[in-house]
Amino acid sequence: MKSLNAADQIEIMSKHPCFSEEAHVRVGRVHLPIAPRCNIHCNFCERNVCAALAIRHPGWTSKLLSVTEAVDLVRSIMRSRQAVNTFVVGVAGPGDPLANEETFEAISQIHNEYPHLLKCVSTNGLLLEDRLQRVIDIGIRALTVTINAADSRIGKSIYSWVRYRGIAYRGEEAASLLLAKQFNGIRQAVDAGLTIKVNTVLIPGINDSSMPELARRIKEAGGAIMNIMPLVPSGKMRDLPSPTCDELRRARLECERIIPQFHLCQQCRADIIHLL
Ligand code: CLF
Ligand code: SF4
């Protein structure tokens, strides 16, 4: 595995809008909705295509783009906004970016044309180990892995199933496989020089009491920063409550003693275009 250099990591921690709160207010984000398929089922997930553009909801997009349309979108933004602030090009759904070849094709083309733009994916991490070299080859230096459970006992309440190499897993076995893949993937990505953020959905009554334990595991694996986000009640968890502001603040405070926290997450749609 090729190893990246420390300068890449320093640049990401200062220039990426989701790794640096200072960069968040001056660097834009453009998500390419090119990844419809997913290989796991999170119980809070609700993907939606043709959703009204005004509604903010992770996993929602007004439409899916082809690879050509996605690359053209970036070209047109570059043509029209050359003189203003830069932006990061990300793939964050509607499904898992690493489970969709379109992610690799589009980001690779964009990297060839615009090597200076930061590229990013937000993945559930199941395929991170297997696809790590390809992730690096297409110019990605920072990525987000969403991990919602400190152990498989908690994970079995969050994940209905995991499909890996053609086999479907359920219950605690599914959560155990996913967690092993997520943490091994992070360790290998960090060893290769990538900078990793972990997103965690805070689910009252399910994973809230284990946030510090999860933060410790993320730190031990080499994650740089953690982003705890409130549950948006939907899917099989549509009847659960969102955490209150106090509960969210408390979870972030507890975990901040262990690993830096990102506080400005907007829980972006899969098609967000936020230019500054
Ligand atoms: Fe997009 Fe995610 Fe990359 Fe950022 S979003 S793929 S890491 S470029 Fe950022 Fe949006 Fe929060 Fe994500 S504010 S949902 S943390
Ligand atoms: Fe939905 Fe993302 Fe979970 Fe896949 S990984 S089921 S797209 S929330």
Side-chain angles (χ1 to χ4, degrees), residues 17-155:
C18 307
F19 286 65
S20 155
E21 294 188 355
E22 192 266 321
H24 193 79
V25 293
R26 61 178 169 75
V27 179
R29 316 183 285 288
V30 172
H31 282 177
L32 307 174
I34 52 177
R37 293 170 291 280
C38 195
N39 44 14
I40 71 174
H41 186 86
C42 305
N43 288 335
F44 53 75
C45 182
E46 193 178 287
R47 302 198 288 282
N48 200 346
V49 177
C50 297
L53 257 177
I55 299 173
R56 184 188 289 177
H57 196 298
W60 285 22
T61 182
S62 57
K63 60 178 178 176
L64 290 168
L65 297 184
S66 67
V67 169
T68 305
E69 289 168 331
V71 176
D72 282 346
L73 171 67
V74 174
R75 284 187 189 126
S76 74
I77 294 171
M78 289 302 287
R79 270 197 301 271
S80 61
R81 300 186 59 96
Q82 265 165 357
V84 297
N85 291 337
T86 186
F87 56 92
V88 53
V89 180
V91 182
D96 184 66
L98 301 188
N100 292 267
E101 270 310 301
E102 292 87 342
T103 301
F104 296 93
E105 290 169 22
I107 296 288
S108 172
Q109 287 185 41
I110 291 163
H111 186 53
N112 285 340
E113 281 186 49
Y114 307 108
H116 64 285
L117 284 180
L118 277 173
K119 292 100 198 161
C120 184
V121 293
S122 181
T123 174
N124 62 40
L126 183 66
L127 295 177
L128 183 52
E129 268 185 293
D130 297 359
R131 308 243 156 119
L132 182 55
Q133 188 59 60
R134 295 184 66 201
V135 164
I136 294 170
D137 288 345
I138 60 173
I140 290 174
R141 300 293 176 261
L143 57 84
T144 294
V145 182
T146 301
I147 306 182
N148 301 311
D151 60 50
S152 56
R153 191 182 43 82
I154 298 166

Side-chain angles (χ1 to χ4, degrees), residues 7 11 238 267:
E11 184 184 9
R238 73 177 68 84
Q267 297 188 279

